[in-house]
Amino acid sequence: PLLFGAAAEAEYAEEAKTRLRAACEDAVVLSDFIGPPALAAVFAATALNFHPCRYDAYGMSVVEAAAFGAPSVVNGGAKVGAAQLLPADEG
């Protein structure tokens, strides 16, 4: 697993990173910017995108993952703008 991106809420971000590392010891966590070619490579290899933020006006990673055919799990529901683009849960 790979977790990357900036964080607006430092405490929440650290908790998410800690939980990911506890669940998967070989997880990679990046906080630095990655350019378009590297980003495309990440999403091309993505099986599931997890968008953990509690609020995001848009949710670009959801759209980027979808462009590469990867589904997304979104935390925050209506508080993440791109969640409105996802189909309703039918389960």
Side-chain angles (χ1 to χ4, degrees), residues 86-91:
L86 302 173
D89 181 8
E90 296 178 19

Side-chain angles (χ1 to χ4, degrees), residues 1-3 17 19-29:
L2 169 67
L3 174 67
K17 291 174 189 178
R19 287 178 152 200
L20 174 63
R21 289 182 178 124
C24 184
E25 293 178 3
D26 62 344
V28 176
V29 177

